Amino acid sequence: MFAGRSYHLPSFTVLQLLPFSCQMEKQIGTMRVLVTGGSGLVGKAIQHVVKEEGGAREGEEWIFLSSKDADLTNAAETRAIFEKHRPTHVVHVAAMVGGLFRHLRQNLDFWRNNVCINDNVLQTAHEFGVVKVVSCLSTCIFPDKTTYPIDETMIHNGPPHESNSGYAYAKRMVDVHNRACWTQYGRRYTAVIPTNIFGPHDNFNIEDAHVLPALVHKTYKAKRDGTALEVWGSGHALRQFIYSLDLARLYLWVLREYDEVEPIILSVGQEEEITIKDVVDAIVEAFGFTGPVIYDTSKSDGQMKKTASNAKLRSYRPDFTFTPFQTGKHQTHAYDTSTLLGIHYPVHQ
Ligand code: NAP
Ligand code: GDP
């Protein structure tokens, strides 16, 4: 129904023709990068790549924030943290984040908190002359009724899935903000669009978490207690998963090299899409869980699929190698289990 329709926003090809003198601005001097959300799943992965994989270049300064440093829903606290660090670049990953079942309970909170955080960060970055901001969207912001695969031009082509509409609209407004900031001020603020992410330092809260950490935790408990593993929904929904460290590596590339205002999808290929049942089977196998697995079909499946194209990414980075789901999953499994058991395992990349 919404296939191929573009609403009100000009495409980037039109934006590219605008005669802004800063169009080819180059970064001058040393980067001081402020990473919002530095304590979360993605923030920790970026920290790992920067500090452990040589992601930072000589002379660069990287500052990783958590909500303890500043509540970014608060404009004064946001301003104070920019005043303190005077960043030249911002990697903006802070957000109110959660799995499907948290969205179903707290749609309004997702809308309000994320609108506030994003507006505060983007406006303050502009006021402090930040050269580049790379924000983080999600493939769940795309229209629910659409053609597949989804690509970067389709963000505003119809309503998102109702289950996470507050979060989705708040994230879409980042794209609106970035485009307006470009046309009005020539600011090169952009965003990445990852699919479902997994990796070390995820949130394992059973009620609030995304599917993979929630199921890891549930499987651990079911095995420990000799109970059934309860999966929510039919297991038929399809998802693409990107390993957090792959995302972090690509995030750094976007910060340094990607010059478009239009966002870019960071995803494994369409052929890597798997069902929730595949995820369950992989976790059950990794744990050696032999008890019953129950699918509670009275619970929501959320969006049945959001198959994303990574053609644009591939046009820039044809050789980028993604960590296969199994490999990433096993690394995460080792870490997750250790977290739950309070045992220390080394975290592999
Ligand atoms: P996460 O693990 O929940 O981390 C969220 C981060 O945001 C934490 O560092 C948190 O700080 C910070 N934060 C939350 N509210 C804040 C506030 N009011 N003020 C300041 N900081 C605040 O989330 P994540 O999975 O890393 O997500 C990172 C980004 O990726 C988000 O923009 C999210 O929308 C996007 N994304 C995630 C997924 C996924 O599957 N996880 C998929 C697509 C896109 P504290 O630790 O102090 O609370
Ligand atoms: P989404 O990908 O944005 O929809 O969010 P999630 O990461 O929460 O994944 C939701 C999908 O996993 C839906 O199809 C759910 O029915 C399914 N699912 C199965 N069991 C669970 C669970 O225990 N927690 C969560 N969050 N999702 C589950």
Side-chain angles (χ1 to χ4, degrees):
M1 174 183 181
F2 299 104
R5 267 169 60 192
S6 169
Y7 273 16
H8 312 296
L9 295 171
S11 70
F12 184 73
T13 24
V14 174
L15 293 174
Q16 272 178 316
L17 300 175
L18 294 171
F20 277 104
S21 57
C22 56
Q23 190 149 332
M24 292 307 290
E25 75 203 1
K26 284 287 166 217
Q27 166 199 325
I28 299 162
T30 307
M31 291 209 304
R32 198 160 48 254
V33 188
L34 191 68
V35 182
T36 70
S39 53
L41 167 68
V42 177
K44 285 279 191 189
I46 293 172
Q47 216 168 132
H48 181 90
V49 171
V50 164
K51 293 182 178 169
E52 311 295 330
E53 294 186 8
R57 293 182 184 160
E58 206 172 322
E60 285 177 2
E61 193 184 337
W62 287 75
I63 304 126
F64 294 88
L65 300 180
S66 78
S67 64
K68 292 187 186 74
D69 299 297
D71 175 0
L72 298 172
T73 62
N74 179 302
E77 289 191 31
T78 308
R79 200 175 168 79
I81 204 77
F82 274 73
E83 185 76 57
K84 180 176 175 189
H85 295 293
R86 294 269 165 187
T88 58
H89 294 67
V90 173
V91 167
H92 173 40
V93 295
M96 180 177 176
V97 179
L100 168 65
F101 297 93
R102 187 175 189 204
H103 283 278
L104 288 170
R105 292 197 315 275
Q106 288 184 263
N107 227 329
L108 178 63
D109 297 338
F110 275 99
W111 160 251
R112 295 192 66 226
N113 286 332
N114 286 321
V115 160
C116 284
I117 290 173
N118 296 334
D119 188 60
N120 285 336
V121 169
L122 290 170
Q123 176 60 17
T124 310
H126 168 60
E127 287 171 12
F128 279 75
V130 170
V131 177
K132 187 166 180 179
V133 180
V134 183
S135 298
C136 194
L137 310 182
S138 162
T139 48
C140 66
I141 76 171
F142 282 101
D144 181 34
K145 295 183 171 55
T146 183
T147 53
Y148 296 99
I150 292 161
D151 70 39
E152 292 83 353
T153 67
M154 297 159 79
I155 297 176
H156 304 281
N157 284 5
H161 194 265
E162 220 177 83
S163 59
N164 59 17
S165 63
Y167 174 84
Y169 276 117
K171 292 273 182 191
R172 285 184 184 190
M173 291 310 112
V174 169
D175 182 54
V176 172
H177 193 125
N178 285 346
R179 288 170 190 262
C181 209
W182 168 250
T183 53
Q184 193 168 336
Y185 294 115
R187 290 271 186 232
R188 199 178 292 280
Y189 295 172
T190 190
V192 299
I193 311 180
T195 54
N196 291 49
I197 307 161
F198 71 107
H201 304 286
D202 210 340
N203 164 17
F204 301 102
N205 182 293
I206 286 181
E207 300 298 326
D208 289 350
H210 285 103
V211 58
L212 211 146
L215 286 175
V216 163
H217 194 165
K218 283 181 175 182
T219 309
Y220 164 73
K221 284 180 75 176
K223 186 172 176 180
R224 183 194 65 189
D225 302 341
T227 54
L229 167 61
E230 193 184 286
V231 180
W232 293 343
S234 68
H236 295 148
L238 288 156
R239 297 290 184 266
Q240 286 152 295
F241 290 89
I242 182 170
Y243 191 46
S244 60
L245 290 170
D246 291 343
L247 175 60
R249 292 167 194 134
L250 288 169
Y251 220 119
L252 257 68
W253 164 76
V254 170
L255 182 70
R256 296 188 193 286
E257 310 286 344
Y258 180 74
D259 268 343
E260 299 187 30
V261 172
E262 183 183 81
I264 182 163
I265 291 172
L266 302 183
S267 173
V268 298
Q270 292 156 240
E271 67 284 357
E272 304 291 329
E273 190 174 50
I274 55 175
T275 64
I276 297 300
K277 183 175 183 308
D278 293 329
V279 175
V280 173
D281 291 346
I283 293 172
V284 162
E285 190 200 327
F287 270 91
F289 177 71
T290 51
V293 179
I294 296 165
Y295 286 83
D296 181 352
T297 52
S298 70
K299 292 216 157 58
S300 175
D301 280 321
Q303 198 162 352
M304 283 314 287
K305 63 177 189 171
K306 34 191 181 177
T307 320
S309 162
N310 69 359
K312 184 176 185 178
L313 173 65
R314 282 299 182 205
S315 72
Y316 282 104
R317 298 293 309 271
D319 299 328
F320 184 83
T321 307
F322 286 98
T323 306
F325 176 74
Q326 285 296 328
T327 312
K329 185 258 299 177
H330 282 303
Q331 288 163 352
T332 301
H333 168 70
Y335 180 82
D336 294 349
T337 311
S338 70
T339 306
L340 292 167
L341 295 173
I343 298 167
H344 176 72
Y345 280 80
V347 182
H348 307 288
Q349 66 157 24

